[in-house]
């Protein structure tokens, strides 16, 4: 029953989908290091924001003073909060294409053969009509 619902894909279709959907780290660091670096990068700006807020509010601590309260609020609102955002990895097809272009540029691969390979990758990345 399950086999009937799924459409069989040809090897060419599988490769096209792989080039379009599979992703690779193009940031330049070890892909395994992301497990530690992403949480660390999310933590750092939050910690800096909490520290700054605490320092500003600590300076305004003490007896209730309208002027001190307003200056503390102004100091907090003057500077934008720090933030960090993840960015997704690049599609496999683009990574392979960039590698081939680099090989041609460095003279590792002949220009004609490299151009033909790049053309094939571009054709595979096109959606079927």
């Amino acid at each position: 029953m399950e086999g009937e619902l799924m459409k069989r894909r040809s090897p060419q279709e599988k490769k096209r989908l792989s080039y379009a959907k599979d992703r690779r780290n193009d940031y330049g660091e070890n892909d395994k290091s992301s497990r530690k670096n992403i949480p660390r990068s999310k933590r750092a700006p939050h910690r800096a924001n909490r520290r700054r807020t605490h320092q500003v509010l600590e300076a305004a601590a003490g007896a209730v003073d309208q002027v001190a309260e307003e200056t503390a609020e102004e100091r907090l609102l003057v500077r934008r909060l720090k933030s960090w955002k993840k960015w997704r990895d690049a599609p496999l097809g683009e990574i392979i294409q960039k590698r081939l272009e680099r090989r041609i540029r460095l003279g590792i691969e002949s220009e004609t053969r490299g151009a033909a390979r790049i053309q094939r990758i571009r054709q595979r990345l096109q959606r079927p009509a």
Side-chain angles (χ1 to χ4, degrees):
M1 185 93 163
E2 282 184 33
E4 294 172 6
L5 296 177
M6 290 183 53
K7 177 187 164 198
R8 287 211 163 182
R9 299 193 195 277
S10 69
Q12 293 82 6
E13 178 71 8
K14 287 180 183 178
K15 187 162 198 166
R16 189 187 66 75
L17 287 171
S18 174
Y19 275 180
K21 293 189 173 189
D22 292 356
R23 296 197 167 261
R24 294 292 183 272
N25 184 332
D26 64 338
Y27 186 66
E29 65 181 12
N30 184 338
D31 57 339
K32 309 298 186 288
S33 68
S34 298
R35 281 180 284 184
K36 290 183 178 180
N37 288 340
I38 290 173
R40 183 182 296 139
S41 299
K42 288 168 86 174
R43 261 193 327 257
H46 291 300
R47 183 181 297 152
N49 292 335
R50 285 195 309 267
R51 177 178 168 77
R52 184 171 174 280
T53 303
H54 179 74
Q55 285 178 334
V56 170
L57 293 178
E58 190 70 28
V64 177
D65 181 13
Q66 190 68 23
V67 176
E69 180 183 326
E70 288 175 7
T71 56
E73 189 173 349
E74 278 181 32
R75 285 186 61 201
L76 281 175
L77 297 176
V78 166
R79 199 181 297 168
R80 190 174 61 220
L81 294 176
K82 295 182 178 184
S83 65
W84 181 83
K85 248 187 162 170
K86 279 198 309 189
W87 56 359
R88 64 185 187 181
D89 295 335
L92 178 61
E94 286 181 18
I95 296 290
I96 292 174
Q97 189 174 329
K98 286 178 186 174
R99 274 190 198 162
L100 289 172
E101 289 168 355
R102 180 177 177 273
R103 287 170 140 187
I104 293 169
R105 192 176 63 247
L106 294 175
I108 297 171
E109 185 156 354
S110 72
E111 211 165 311
T112 54
R113 183 167 184 246
R117 291 176 73 187
I118 290 172
Q119 187 61 34
R120 279 199 310 268
I121 290 172
R122 287 184 181 152
Q123 287 172 350
R124 286 184 185 132
L125 288 174
Q126 297 298 319
R127 302 271 181 228

PDB file of all heavy atoms in Angstrom, residues 96-128:
ATOM      1  N   ILE A  96      28.962  23.051  -5.391  1.00  0.00           N
ATOM      2  CA  ILE A  96      29.731  22.320  -6.401  1.00  0.00           C
ATOM      3  C   ILE A  96      30.107  23.249  -7.556  1.00  0.00           C
ATOM      4  O   ILE A  96      31.228  23.209  -8.058  1.00  0.00           O
ATOM      5  CB  ILE A  96      28.941  21.097  -6.899  1.00  0.00           C
ATOM      6  CG1 ILE A  96      28.822  20.085  -5.764  1.00  0.00           C
ATOM      7  CG2 ILE A  96      29.607  20.471  -8.106  1.00  0.00           C
ATOM      8  CD1 ILE A  96      27.952  18.899  -6.081  1.00  0.00           C
ATOM      9  N   GLN A  97      29.178  24.096  -7.944  1.00  0.00           N
ATOM     10  CA  GLN A  97      29.447  25.041  -9.032  1.00  0.00           C
ATOM     11  C   GLN A  97      30.585  25.990  -8.658  1.00  0.00           C
ATOM     12  O   GLN A  97      31.493  26.231  -9.457  1.00  0.00           O
ATOM     13  CB  GLN A  97      28.171  25.822  -9.331  1.00  0.00           C
ATOM     14  CG  GLN A  97      28.244  26.682 -10.553  1.00  0.00           C
ATOM     15  CD  GLN A  97      26.889  27.302 -10.861  1.00  0.00           C
ATOM     16  OE1 GLN A  97      25.850  26.724 -10.583  1.00  0.00           O
ATOM     17  NE2 GLN A  97      26.918  28.488 -11.402  1.00  0.00           N
ATOM     18  N   LYS A  98      30.586  26.503  -7.428  1.00  0.00           N
ATOM     19  CA  LYS A  98      31.652  27.397  -6.974  1.00  0.00           C
ATOM     20  C   LYS A  98      32.992  26.674  -6.932  1.00  0.00           C
ATOM     21  O   LYS A  98      34.031  27.246  -7.277  1.00  0.00           O
ATOM     22  CB  LYS A  98      31.320  27.972  -5.597  1.00  0.00           C
ATOM     23  CG  LYS A  98      30.241  29.029  -5.636  1.00  0.00           C
ATOM     24  CD  LYS A  98      29.937  29.518  -4.245  1.00  0.00           C
ATOM     25  CE  LYS A  98      28.744  30.468  -4.254  1.00  0.00           C
ATOM     26  NZ  LYS A  98      28.338  30.854  -2.898  1.00  0.00           N
ATOM     27  N   ARG A  99      32.981  25.409  -6.491  1.00  0.00           N
ATOM     28  CA  ARG A  99      34.227  24.632  -6.457  1.00  0.00           C
ATOM     29  C   ARG A  99      34.808  24.454  -7.853  1.00  0.00           C
ATOM     30  O   ARG A  99      36.010  24.580  -8.056  1.00  0.00           O
ATOM     31  CB  ARG A  99      33.968  23.248  -5.856  1.00  0.00           C
ATOM     32  CG  ARG A  99      34.038  23.230  -4.379  1.00  0.00           C
ATOM     33  CD  ARG A  99      34.021  21.813  -3.876  1.00  0.00           C
ATOM     34  NE  ARG A  99      33.667  21.834  -2.467  1.00  0.00           N
ATOM     35  CZ  ARG A  99      33.236  20.792  -1.795  1.00  0.00           C
ATOM     36  NH1 ARG A  99      33.092  19.635  -2.393  1.00  0.00           N
ATOM     37  NH2 ARG A  99      32.950  20.890  -0.528  1.00  0.00           N
ATOM     38  N   LEU A 100      33.941  24.151  -8.813  1.00  0.00           N
ATOM     39  CA  LEU A 100      34.408  23.971 -10.186  1.00  0.00           C
ATOM     40  C   LEU A 100      34.974  25.278 -10.752  1.00  0.00           C
ATOM     41  O   LEU A 100      36.000  25.276 -11.431  1.00  0.00           O
ATOM     42  CB  LEU A 100      33.290  23.439 -11.072  1.00  0.00           C
ATOM     43  CG  LEU A 100      32.889  21.980 -10.820  1.00  0.00           C
ATOM     44  CD1 LEU A 100      31.644  21.633 -11.620  1.00  0.00           C
ATOM     45  CD2 LEU A 100      34.023  21.046 -11.173  1.00  0.00           C
ATOM     46  N   GLU A 101      34.296  26.385 -10.481  1.00  0.00           N
ATOM     47  CA  GLU A 101      34.777  27.682 -10.952  1.00  0.00           C
ATOM     48  C   GLU A 101      36.146  28.000 -10.345  1.00  0.00           C
ATOM     49  O   GLU A 101      37.035  28.514 -11.028  1.00  0.00           O
ATOM     50  CB  GLU A 101      33.771  28.779 -10.603  1.00  0.00           C
ATOM     51  CG  GLU A 101      32.503  28.702 -11.430  1.00  0.00           C
ATOM     52  CD  GLU A 101      31.392  29.597 -10.901  1.00  0.00           C
ATOM     53  OE1 GLU A 101      31.564  30.216  -9.816  1.00  0.00           O
ATOM     54  OE2 GLU A 101      30.342  29.665 -11.556  1.00  0.00           O
ATOM     55  N   ARG A 102      36.333  27.660  -9.080  1.00  0.00           N
ATOM     56  CA  ARG A 102      37.624  27.893  -8.422  1.00  0.00           C
ATOM     57  C   ARG A 102      38.703  27.014  -9.048  1.00  0.00           C
ATOM     58  O   ARG A 102      39.826  27.477  -9.281  1.00  0.00           O
ATOM     59  CB  ARG A 102      37.493  27.592  -6.930  1.00  0.00           C
ATOM     60  CG  ARG A 102      38.765  27.809  -6.158  1.00  0.00           C
ATOM     61  CD  ARG A 102      38.542  27.557  -4.671  1.00  0.00           C
ATOM     62  NE  ARG A 102      39.779  27.696  -3.945  1.00  0.00           N
ATOM     63  CZ  ARG A 102      40.662  26.724  -3.758  1.00  0.00           C
ATOM     64  NH1 ARG A 102      40.430  25.516  -4.246  1.00  0.00           N
ATOM     65  NH2 ARG A 102      41.769  26.930  -3.090  1.00  0.00           N
ATOM     66  N   ARG A 103      38.384  25.757  -9.338  1.00  0.00           N
ATOM     67  CA  ARG A 103      39.360  24.864  -9.963  1.00  0.00           C
ATOM     68  C   ARG A 103      39.799  25.392 -11.326  1.00  0.00           C
ATOM     69  O   ARG A 103      40.968  25.323 -11.678  1.00  0.00           O
ATOM     70  CB  ARG A 103      38.765  23.471 -10.133  1.00  0.00           C
ATOM     71  CG  ARG A 103      38.637  22.717  -8.856  1.00  0.00           C
ATOM     72  CD  ARG A 103      37.828  21.474  -9.108  1.00  0.00           C
ATOM     73  NE  ARG A 103      38.401  20.373  -8.375  1.00  0.00           N
ATOM     74  CZ  ARG A 103      38.014  19.132  -8.494  1.00  0.00           C
ATOM     75  NH1 ARG A 103      37.059  18.810  -9.345  1.00  0.00           N
ATOM     76  NH2 ARG A 103      38.574  18.186  -7.785  1.00  0.00           N
ATOM     77  N   ILE A 104      38.852  25.929 -12.091  1.00  0.00           N
ATOM     78  CA  ILE A 104      39.187  26.495 -13.402  1.00  0.00           C
ATOM     79  C   ILE A 104      40.092  27.707 -13.222  1.00  0.00           C
ATOM     80  O   ILE A 104      41.106  27.857 -13.910  1.00  0.00           O
ATOM     81  CB  ILE A 104      37.904  26.878 -14.175  1.00  0.00           C
ATOM     82  CG1 ILE A 104      37.111  25.618 -14.532  1.00  0.00           C
ATOM     83  CG2 ILE A 104      38.237  27.674 -15.421  1.00  0.00           C
ATOM     84  CD1 ILE A 104      35.718  25.908 -15.048  1.00  0.00           C
ATOM     85  N   ARG A 105      39.729  28.573 -12.277  1.00  0.00           N
ATOM     86  CA  ARG A 105      40.493  29.793 -12.031  1.00  0.00           C
ATOM     87  C   ARG A 105      41.933  29.487 -11.608  1.00  0.00           C
ATOM     88  O   ARG A 105      42.871  30.169 -12.016  1.00  0.00           O
ATOM     89  CB  ARG A 105      39.780  30.627 -10.962  1.00  0.00           C
ATOM     90  CG  ARG A 105      40.307  32.022 -10.824  1.00  0.00           C
ATOM     91  CD  ARG A 105      39.527  32.865  -9.826  1.00  0.00           C
ATOM     92  NE  ARG A 105      39.620  32.330  -8.477  1.00  0.00           N
ATOM     93  CZ  ARG A 105      38.595  31.810  -7.783  1.00  0.00           C
ATOM     94  NH1 ARG A 105      37.393  31.768  -8.315  1.00  0.00           N
ATOM     95  NH2 ARG A 105      38.756  31.358  -6.566  1.00  0.00           N
ATOM     96  N   LEU A 106      42.128  28.425 -10.819  1.00  0.00           N
ATOM     97  CA  LEU A 106      43.462  28.062 -10.341  1.00  0.00           C
ATOM     98  C   LEU A 106      44.236  27.206 -11.339  1.00  0.00           C
ATOM     99  O   LEU A 106      45.398  26.896 -11.110  1.00  0.00           O
ATOM    100  CB  LEU A 106      43.369  27.325  -9.004  1.00  0.00           C
ATOM    101  CG  LEU A 106      42.844  28.145  -7.827  1.00  0.00           C
ATOM    102  CD1 LEU A 106      42.679  27.269  -6.603  1.00  0.00           C
ATOM    103  CD2 LEU A 106      43.775  29.306  -7.529  1.00  0.00           C
ATOM    104  N   GLY A 107      43.570  26.782 -12.409  1.00  0.00           N
ATOM    105  CA  GLY A 107      44.235  25.976 -13.411  1.00  0.00           C
ATOM    106  C   GLY A 107      44.289  24.495 -13.066  1.00  0.00           C
ATOM    107  O   GLY A 107      45.014  23.737 -13.708  1.00  0.00           O
ATOM    108  N   ILE A 108      43.527  24.061 -12.092  1.00  0.00           N
ATOM    109  CA  ILE A 108      43.484  22.655 -11.698  1.00  0.00           C
ATOM    110  C   ILE A 108      42.701  21.848 -12.734  1.00  0.00           C
ATOM    111  O   ILE A 108      43.013  20.696 -13.002  1.00  0.00           O
ATOM    112  CB  ILE A 108      42.858  22.500 -10.297  1.00  0.00           C
ATOM    113  CG1 ILE A 108      43.723  23.206  -9.262  1.00  0.00           C
ATOM    114  CG2 ILE A 108      42.657  21.042  -9.931  1.00  0.00           C
ATOM    115  CD1 ILE A 108      43.102  23.309  -7.885  1.00  0.00           C
ATOM    116  N   GLU A 109      41.691  22.487 -13.308  1.00  0.00           N
ATOM    117  CA  GLU A 109      40.858  21.811 -14.304  1.00  0.00           C
ATOM    118  C   GLU A 109      40.862  22.636 -15.586  1.00  0.00           C
ATOM    119  O   GLU A 109      40.916  23.864 -15.544  1.00  0.00           O
ATOM    120  CB  GLU A 109      39.425  21.664 -13.769  1.00  0.00           C
ATOM    121  CG  GLU A 109      38.546  20.870 -14.674  1.00  0.00           C
ATOM    122  CD  GLU A 109      37.377  20.245 -13.929  1.00  0.00           C
ATOM    123  OE1 GLU A 109      37.319  20.331 -12.713  1.00  0.00           O
ATOM    124  OE2 GLU A 109      36.537  19.681 -14.617  1.00  0.00           O
ATOM    125  N   SER A 110      40.779  21.945 -16.718  1.00  0.00           N
ATOM    126  CA  SER A 110      40.781  22.669 -17.992  1.00  0.00           C
ATOM    127  C   SER A 110      39.494  23.479 -18.123  1.00  0.00           C
ATOM    128  O   SER A 110      38.439  23.095 -17.610  1.00  0.00           O
ATOM    129  CB  SER A 110      40.906  21.691 -19.161  1.00  0.00           C
ATOM    130  OG  SER A 110      39.706  20.976 -19.336  1.00  0.00           O
ATOM    131  N   GLU A 111      39.611  24.566 -18.832  1.00  0.00           N
ATOM    132  CA  GLU A 111      38.473  25.476 -18.947  1.00  0.00           C
ATOM    133  C   GLU A 111      37.307  24.851 -19.700  1.00  0.00           C
ATOM    134  O   GLU A 111      36.149  25.018 -19.312  1.00  0.00           O
ATOM    135  CB  GLU A 111      38.918  26.760 -19.637  1.00  0.00           C
ATOM    136  CG  GLU A 111      38.144  27.954 -19.183  1.00  0.00           C
ATOM    137  CD  GLU A 111      38.815  29.255 -19.571  1.00  0.00           C
ATOM    138  OE1 GLU A 111      40.013  29.405 -19.336  1.00  0.00           O
ATOM    139  OE2 GLU A 111      38.096  30.101 -20.121  1.00  0.00           O
ATOM    140  N   THR A 112      37.592  24.109 -20.770  1.00  0.00           N
ATOM    141  CA  THR A 112      36.508  23.532 -21.569  1.00  0.00           C
ATOM    142  C   THR A 112      35.769  22.452 -20.787  1.00  0.00           C
ATOM    143  O   THR A 112      34.540  22.428 -20.760  1.00  0.00           O
ATOM    144  CB  THR A 112      37.063  22.931 -22.875  1.00  0.00           C
ATOM    145  OG1 THR A 112      38.097  22.000 -22.559  1.00  0.00           O
ATOM    146  CG2 THR A 112      37.614  24.019 -23.767  1.00  0.00           C
ATOM    147  N   ARG A 113      36.526  21.572 -20.124  1.00  0.00           N
ATOM    148  CA  ARG A 113      35.895  20.487 -19.363  1.00  0.00           C
ATOM    149  C   ARG A 113      35.125  21.063 -18.170  1.00  0.00           C
ATOM    150  O   ARG A 113      34.003  20.643 -17.868  1.00  0.00           O
ATOM    151  CB  ARG A 113      36.950  19.503 -18.873  1.00  0.00           C
ATOM    152  CG  ARG A 113      36.350  18.338 -18.138  1.00  0.00           C
ATOM    153  CD  ARG A 113      37.366  17.218 -17.937  1.00  0.00           C
ATOM    154  NE  ARG A 113      36.719  16.098 -17.307  1.00  0.00           N
ATOM    155  CZ  ARG A 113      37.002  15.674 -16.078  1.00  0.00           C
ATOM    156  NH1 ARG A 113      37.943  16.262 -15.385  1.00  0.00           N
ATOM    157  NH2 ARG A 113      36.357  14.645 -15.563  1.00  0.00           N
ATOM    158  N   GLY A 114      35.713  22.029 -17.483  1.00  0.00           N
ATOM    159  CA  GLY A 114      35.058  22.652 -16.334  1.00  0.00           C
ATOM    160  C   GLY A 114      33.786  23.373 -16.727  1.00  0.00           C
ATOM    161  O   GLY A 114      32.773  23.279 -16.031  1.00  0.00           O
ATOM    162  N   ALA A 115      33.836  24.069 -17.864  1.00  0.00           N
ATOM    163  CA  ALA A 115      32.649  24.788 -18.328  1.00  0.00           C
ATOM    164  C   ALA A 115      31.529  23.812 -18.666  1.00  0.00           C
ATOM    165  O   ALA A 115      30.351  24.080 -18.373  1.00  0.00           O
ATOM    166  CB  ALA A 115      32.996  25.635 -19.543  1.00  0.00           C
ATOM    167  N   ALA A 116      31.889  22.675 -19.249  1.00  0.00           N
ATOM    168  CA  ALA A 116      30.874  21.668 -19.577  1.00  0.00           C
ATOM    169  C   ALA A 116      30.242  21.105 -18.304  1.00  0.00           C
ATOM    170  O   ALA A 116      29.024  20.900 -18.232  1.00  0.00           O
ATOM    171  CB  ALA A 116      31.495  20.546 -20.400  1.00  0.00           C
ATOM    172  N   ARG A 117      31.069  20.864 -17.284  1.00  0.00           N
ATOM    173  CA  ARG A 117      30.543  20.336 -16.022  1.00  0.00           C
ATOM    174  C   ARG A 117      29.637  21.349 -15.333  1.00  0.00           C
ATOM    175  O   ARG A 117      28.585  20.999 -14.800  1.00  0.00           O
ATOM    176  CB  ARG A 117      31.703  19.941 -15.112  1.00  0.00           C
ATOM    177  CG  ARG A 117      32.456  18.724 -15.637  1.00  0.00           C
ATOM    178  CD  ARG A 117      33.655  18.402 -14.804  1.00  0.00           C
ATOM    179  NE  ARG A 117      33.243  17.835 -13.529  1.00  0.00           N
ATOM    180  CZ  ARG A 117      34.089  17.567 -12.528  1.00  0.00           C
ATOM    181  NH1 ARG A 117      35.371  17.817 -12.668  1.00  0.00           N
ATOM    182  NH2 ARG A 117      33.650  17.043 -11.407  1.00  0.00           N
ATOM    183  N   ILE A 118      30.042  22.613 -15.363  1.00  0.00           N
ATOM    184  CA  ILE A 118      29.211  23.668 -14.767  1.00  0.00           C
ATOM    185  C   ILE A 118      27.879  23.761 -15.499  1.00  0.00           C
ATOM    186  O   ILE A 118      26.816  23.914 -14.886  1.00  0.00           O
ATOM    187  CB  ILE A 118      29.958  25.018 -14.769  1.00  0.00           C
ATOM    188  CG1 ILE A 118      31.111  24.967 -13.767  1.00  0.00           C
ATOM    189  CG2 ILE A 118      29.022  26.170 -14.455  1.00  0.00           C
ATOM    190  CD1 ILE A 118      32.028  26.165 -13.816  1.00  0.00           C
ATOM    191  N   GLN A 119      27.908  23.650 -16.816  1.00  0.00           N
ATOM    192  CA  GLN A 119      26.680  23.695 -17.612  1.00  0.00           C
ATOM    193  C   GLN A 119      25.735  22.553 -17.233  1.00  0.00           C
ATOM    194  O   GLN A 119      24.523  22.752 -17.117  1.00  0.00           O
ATOM    195  CB  GLN A 119      27.019  23.642 -19.112  1.00  0.00           C
ATOM    196  CG  GLN A 119      25.829  23.850 -20.026  1.00  0.00           C
ATOM    197  CD  GLN A 119      25.190  25.212 -19.799  1.00  0.00           C
ATOM    198  OE1 GLN A 119      25.845  26.195 -19.504  1.00  0.00           O
ATOM    199  NE2 GLN A 119      23.878  25.256 -19.914  1.00  0.00           N
ATOM    200  N   ARG A 120      26.296  21.353 -17.019  1.00  0.00           N
ATOM    201  CA  ARG A 120      25.463  20.211 -16.614  1.00  0.00           C
ATOM    202  C   ARG A 120      24.818  20.445 -15.252  1.00  0.00           C
ATOM    203  O   ARG A 120      23.647  20.129 -15.044  1.00  0.00           O
ATOM    204  CB  ARG A 120      26.299  18.932 -16.581  1.00  0.00           C
ATOM    205  CG  ARG A 120      26.493  18.299 -17.936  1.00  0.00           C
ATOM    206  CD  ARG A 120      26.910  16.842 -17.824  1.00  0.00           C
ATOM    207  NE  ARG A 120      28.022  16.593 -16.933  1.00  0.00           N
ATOM    208  CZ  ARG A 120      29.306  16.562 -17.287  1.00  0.00           C
ATOM    209  NH1 ARG A 120      29.646  16.769 -18.547  1.00  0.00           N
ATOM    210  NH2 ARG A 120      30.249  16.310 -16.403  1.00  0.00           N
ATOM    211  N   ILE A 121      25.569  21.022 -14.348  1.00  0.00           N
ATOM    212  CA  ILE A 121      25.004  21.310 -13.014  1.00  0.00           C
ATOM    213  C   ILE A 121      23.883  22.319 -13.129  1.00  0.00           C
ATOM    214  O   ILE A 121      22.826  22.161 -12.522  1.00  0.00           O
ATOM    215  CB  ILE A 121      26.112  21.816 -12.064  1.00  0.00           C
ATOM    216  CG1 ILE A 121      27.048  20.664 -11.729  1.00  0.00           C
ATOM    217  CG2 ILE A 121      25.521  22.401 -10.793  1.00  0.00           C
ATOM    218  CD1 ILE A 121      28.274  21.082 -10.970  1.00  0.00           C
ATOM    219  N   ARG A 122      24.095  23.359 -13.928  1.00  0.00           N
ATOM    220  CA  ARG A 122      23.042  24.366 -14.112  1.00  0.00           C
ATOM    221  C   ARG A 122      21.785  23.762 -14.724  1.00  0.00           C
ATOM    222  O   ARG A 122      20.672  24.120 -14.362  1.00  0.00           O
ATOM    223  CB  ARG A 122      23.561  25.512 -14.978  1.00  0.00           C
ATOM    224  CG  ARG A 122      24.536  26.393 -14.239  1.00  0.00           C
ATOM    225  CD  ARG A 122      24.959  27.568 -15.077  1.00  0.00           C
ATOM    226  NE  ARG A 122      25.911  28.393 -14.342  1.00  0.00           N
ATOM    227  CZ  ARG A 122      26.842  29.129 -14.899  1.00  0.00           C
ATOM    228  NH1 ARG A 122      26.957  29.166 -16.217  1.00  0.00           N
ATOM    229  NH2 ARG A 122      27.666  29.843 -14.159  1.00  0.00           N
ATOM    230  N   GLN A 123      21.963  22.838 -15.669  1.00  0.00           N
ATOM    231  CA  GLN A 123      20.801  22.176 -16.272  1.00  0.00           C
ATOM    232  C   GLN A 123      20.068  21.326 -15.242  1.00  0.00           C
ATOM    233  O   GLN A 123      18.845  21.279 -15.227  1.00  0.00           O
ATOM    234  CB  GLN A 123      21.238  21.304 -17.453  1.00  0.00           C
ATOM    235  CG  GLN A 123      21.631  22.090 -18.677  1.00  0.00           C
ATOM    236  CD  GLN A 123      22.238  21.206 -19.762  1.00  0.00           C
ATOM    237  OE1 GLN A 123      22.527  20.043 -19.535  1.00  0.00           O
ATOM    238  NE2 GLN A 123      22.437  21.786 -20.942  1.00  0.00           N
ATOM    239  N   ARG A 124      20.821  20.660 -14.380  1.00  0.00           N
ATOM    240  CA  ARG A 124      20.200  19.819 -13.351  1.00  0.00           C
ATOM    241  C   ARG A 124      19.432  20.647 -12.333  1.00  0.00           C
ATOM    242  O   ARG A 124      18.473  20.166 -11.745  1.00  0.00           O
ATOM    243  CB  ARG A 124      21.263  18.985 -12.644  1.00  0.00           C
ATOM    244  CG  ARG A 124      21.757  17.852 -13.486  1.00  0.00           C
ATOM    245  CD  ARG A 124      22.744  16.995 -12.713  1.00  0.00           C
ATOM    246  NE  ARG A 124      23.290  15.985 -13.590  1.00  0.00           N
ATOM    247  CZ  ARG A 124      24.575  15.696 -13.717  1.00  0.00           C
ATOM    248  NH1 ARG A 124      25.459  16.354 -13.001  1.00  0.00           N
ATOM    249  NH2 ARG A 124      24.982  14.769 -14.538  1.00  0.00           N
ATOM    250  N   LEU A 125      19.882  21.865 -12.104  1.00  0.00           N
ATOM    251  CA  LEU A 125      19.208  22.713 -11.131  1.00  0.00           C
ATOM    252  C   LEU A 125      17.906  23.313 -11.655  1.00  0.00           C
ATOM    253  O   LEU A 125      17.103  23.810 -10.891  1.00  0.00           O
ATOM    254  CB  LEU A 125      20.135  23.830 -10.671  1.00  0.00           C
ATOM    255  CG  LEU A 125      21.278  23.383  -9.765  1.00  0.00           C
ATOM    256  CD1 LEU A 125      22.220  24.553  -9.493  1.00  0.00           C
ATOM    257  CD2 LEU A 125      20.755  22.827  -8.473  1.00  0.00           C
ATOM    258  N   GLN A 126      17.711  23.256 -12.984  1.00  0.00           N
ATOM    259  CA  GLN A 126      16.487  23.798 -13.569  1.00  0.00           C
ATOM    260  C   GLN A 126      15.302  22.907 -13.232  1.00  0.00           C
ATOM    261  O   GLN A 126      15.408  21.693 -13.188  1.00  0.00           O
ATOM    262  CB  GLN A 126      16.611  23.894 -15.092  1.00  0.00           C
ATOM    263  CG  GLN A 126      17.692  24.826 -15.564  1.00  0.00           C
ATOM    264  CD  GLN A 126      17.462  26.252 -15.125  1.00  0.00           C
ATOM    265  OE1 GLN A 126      16.353  26.741 -15.155  1.00  0.00           O
ATOM    266  NE2 GLN A 126      18.520  26.915 -14.714  1.00  0.00           N
ATOM    267  N   ARG A 127      14.180  23.512 -12.989  1.00  0.00           N
ATOM    268  CA  ARG A 127      12.948  22.765 -12.704  1.00  0.00           C
ATOM    269  C   ARG A 127      12.389  22.205 -14.014  1.00  0.00           C
ATOM    270  O   ARG A 127      12.363  22.908 -15.027  1.00  0.00           O
ATOM    271  CB  ARG A 127      11.895  23.680 -12.066  1.00  0.00           C
ATOM    272  CG  ARG A 127      12.370  24.319 -10.792  1.00  0.00           C
ATOM    273  CD  ARG A 127      12.054  23.421  -9.632  1.00  0.00           C
ATOM    274  NE  ARG A 127      12.488  24.046  -8.392  1.00  0.00           N
ATOM    275  CZ  ARG A 127      13.185  23.421  -7.485  1.00  0.00           C
ATOM    276  NH1 ARG A 127      13.539  22.173  -7.647  1.00  0.00           N
ATOM    277  NH2 ARG A 127      13.531  24.029  -6.388  1.00  0.00           N
ATOM    278  N   PRO A 128      11.906  20.966 -14.003  1.00  0.00           N
ATOM    279  CA  PRO A 128      11.331  20.434 -15.237  1.00  0.00           C
ATOM    280  C   PRO A 128      10.018  21.142 -15.569  1.00  0.00           C
ATOM    281  O   PRO A 128       9.263  21.516 -14.671  1.00  0.00           O
ATOM    282  CB  PRO A 128      11.085  18.956 -14.920  1.00  0.00           C
ATOM    283  CG  PRO A 128      11.040  18.878 -13.442  1.00  0.00           C
ATOM    284  CD  PRO A 128      11.893  19.990 -12.914  1.00  0.00           C
TER     285      PRO A 128
END
